[in-house]
């Protein structure tokens, strides 16, 4: 089969090589799957660079999220078992962790429903306890992770403020349903905070969803409301903030960490329950992954690089069948 593999860590465009390799053999408790679509995630770039918390043995295939077909013809969503990641024609995955792909979504959309939306749901509902009528501030609101949080926030009845970078992303965030969109290319952290406070009549954001870190966190701390909650999801901006914790006492706000993968270890049943809720929301049209591009299999390395560079809007999804891959 064909698979993209990393032999030496580096930038995805250089580190990922398209090769002919044997099909993976399922281990105990695993199943073999034919990949229908593989969503590109920022962790794929970190894997290629050797910077992810999980370091699979070399060589390995990146790709942490797929929509795939089982040998008995079921369409499922899965997290492939590394080192046999999703940018391949076939993968293996734990049988107990397979989730049914929603009928309301096509293969590319289903591949993009899992990690980003689960992270958003756990972050907003499990960690921050977002309530109807509250104000939610979402950084990188036009990106794959942020767009999921915007949709989930609107579905929960929140007023949503989106922060994006550039005019094109402003339009995307508005189309997603943001009640206010702020362009960080024209505002510094203080300016973003001022816009949020003005829009909320001085109240600030009850919940902040931050997958960016760096200056985004700085802006969040300036405009979070009394007893607000800042959900730290990741550091796509490249800078891990070092907050002054004494500042949390000024407004009694909470800083909440969210590592979605821990639920698979600590409380796997919660992932299935969340997926049932996401499937319901998808069927109702309340959430729909923003797939901006369906990428041929030959373009996988370039797609991962573009996500790493932060130049994309929504989700890039690799679809093997577009250029003669798995059928």
């Amino acid at each position: 089969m064909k698979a993209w593999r990393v032999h030496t860590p580096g930038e995805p465009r250089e580190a990922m090589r398209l090769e002919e390799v044997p099909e993976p053999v399922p281990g105990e408790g695993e199943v073999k799957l034919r990949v229908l679509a593989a969503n590109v995630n920022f962790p794929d770039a970190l894997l290629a660079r050797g910077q992810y918390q999980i370091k699979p043995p070399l060589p390995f295939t990146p790709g942490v999220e797929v929509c795939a077909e089982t040998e008995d013809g079921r369409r499922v969503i899965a997290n492939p078992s590394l080192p046999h990641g999703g940018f391949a024609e076939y993968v293996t995955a734990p049988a107990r962790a397979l989730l049914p792909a929603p009928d309301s979504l096509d293969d590319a959309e289903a591949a993009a429903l899992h990690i980003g939306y689960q992270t958003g749901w756990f972050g907003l509902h499990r960690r921050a306890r977002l309530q109807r009528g509250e104000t939610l501030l979402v950084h990188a609101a036009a990106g794959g992770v942020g767009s999921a949080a915007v949709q989930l926030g609107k579905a929960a009845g929140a007023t949503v403020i989106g922060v994006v970078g550039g005019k094109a992303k402003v339009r995307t965030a508005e189309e997603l349903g943001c009640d206010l969109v702020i362009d960080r290319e024209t505002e510094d952290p203080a300016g973003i905070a001022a816009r949020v406070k003005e829009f909320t009549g001085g109240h600030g954001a009850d919940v902040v969803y931050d997958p960016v870190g760096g200056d985004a966190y700085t802006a969040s701390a300036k405009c979070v409301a009394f007893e607000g909650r800042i959900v730290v999801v990741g550091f796509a901006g490249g800078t891990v903030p070092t907050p002054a914790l004494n500042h949390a006492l000024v407004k009694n706000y909470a800083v909440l960490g969210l590592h979605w993968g821990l639920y698979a270890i600590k409380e796997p049943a919660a992932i299935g329950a969340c997926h049932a809720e996401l499937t319901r929301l998808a069927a109702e049209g309340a959430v729909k992954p923003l797939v901006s591009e369906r990428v041929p299999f030959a373009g996988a390395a370039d797609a991962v690089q573009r996500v790493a560079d932060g130049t994309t809007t929504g989700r890039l999804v690799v679809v093997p069948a577009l250029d003669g891959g798995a059928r």
Side-chain angles (χ1 to χ4, degrees), residues 108-302:
E109 292 165 342
L113 180 73
H114 191 34
I115 297 175
Y117 281 86
Q118 288 253 344
T119 298
W121 192 93
F122 276 98
L124 297 181
H125 293 288
R126 180 74 174 252
R127 302 294 285 134
R129 308 292 181 184
L130 179 67
Q131 301 297 309
R132 179 174 294 276
E134 289 191 316
T135 297
L136 167 66
L137 172 63
V138 179
H139 291 284
V145 173
S147 63
V150 170
Q151 292 180 0
L152 289 167
K154 294 300 293 183
T159 297
V160 180
I161 301 172
V163 179
V164 300
K167 292 182 179 179
K169 293 186 178 183
V170 168
R171 290 192 294 273
T172 297
E174 289 172 344
E175 291 168 359
L176 284 167
C178 285
D179 299 281
L180 171 69
V181 182
I182 302 171
D183 187 351
R184 65 174 178 266
E185 291 188 356
T186 61
E187 301 278 2
D188 61 14
I192 292 172
R195 293 284 307 281
V196 172
K197 288 182 178 179
E198 179 185 16
F199 183 75
T200 60
H203 178 77
D206 298 292
V207 175
V208 179
Y209 191 80
D210 181 12
V212 178
D215 287 344
Y217 182 88
T218 300
S220 302
K222 290 179 180 294
C223 65
V224 66
F226 169 71
E227 291 195 331
R229 293 85 76 197
I230 300 175
V231 184
V232 178
V233 183
F235 313 106
T239 302
V240 179
T242 53
L245 293 182
N246 61 310
H247 188 260
L249 307 182
V250 174
K251 290 182 282 188
N252 284 11
Y253 66 84
V255 180
L256 307 169
L258 190 281
H259 177 194
W260 169 76
L262 288 176
Y263 289 99
I265 300 170
K266 302 289 187 181
E267 196 178 340
I271 290 178
C274 176
H275 182 67
E277 176 66 7
L278 293 174
T279 298
R280 181 186 70 80
L281 290 171
E284 294 175 354
V287 303
K288 186 180 181 66
L290 178 61
V291 178
S292 59
E293 188 176 342
R294 289 162 170 80
V295 180
F297 192 67
D302 181 69

Side-chain angles (χ1 to χ4, degrees), residues 10-63:
E11 286 302 301
R13 194 174 282 123
E14 287 74 40
M16 292 174 61
R17 304 179 192 171
L18 184 57
E19 300 176 345
E20 286 284 344
V21 299
E23 294 181 8
V25 177
E28 184 176 354
E30 294 184 333
V31 294
K32 180 179 173 182
L33 303 171
R34 181 173 69 93
V35 176
L36 302 174
N39 184 40
V40 181
N41 287 273
F42 191 69
D44 295 320
L46 296 178
L47 279 165
R49 290 168 171 167
Q51 297 174 346
Y52 197 52
Q53 58 259 43
I54 298 171
K55 291 182 168 55
L58 296 168
F60 69 88
T61 297

